[in-house]
Amino acid sequence: FFDDRLIETTDINRTEMLYSGVEKVCIADNHMIYFYTSSSMAYILPFASFESKEQFDCFMDFIKVKFSIIEVY
């Protein structure tokens, strides 16, 4: 996650998406963060990927600035 975009990098691909390309952000069951790019496609970020609660809290502050609506389920 960068200031204006998210970047996904794998062994065979690199994808960049501006945050304006994310349709909605959802937090589900206090376990996952979904970044929907369409009604059928989302990047999924598990809470377990954060090394500490402080790192998670910092990331949550970051996405609250970048996305005006975050749905919680």
Side-chain angles (χ1 to χ4, degrees):
F1 291 86
F2 292 86
D3 192 46
D4 64 340
R5 70 192 69 218
L6 65 89
I7 300 174
E8 174 194 28
T9 304
T10 68
D11 291 340
I12 59 171
N13 193 30
R14 177 182 164 98
T15 303
E16 293 189 27
M17 176 171 289
L18 296 175
Y19 293 132
S20 59
V22 175
E23 292 182 3
K24 68 179 178 177
V25 177
C26 300
I27 298 175
D29 299 324
N30 287 324
H31 295 296
M32 303 282 185
I33 305 171
Y34 295 84
F35 296 89
Y36 284 92
T37 58
S38 72
S39 62
S40 61
M41 167 47 187
Y43 291 96
I44 303 169
L45 185 61
F47 284 16
S49 63
F50 296 96
E51 294 179 2
S52 67
K53 182 176 179 347
E54 292 78 20
Q55 187 183 48
F56 171 78
D57 291 342
C58 183
F59 183 74
M60 289 303 295
D61 290 342
F62 175 79
I63 65 170
K64 287 176 185 174
V65 169
K66 299 300 177 183
F67 304 99
S68 58
I69 300 174
I70 300 173
E71 299 175 7
V72 179
Y73 301 104

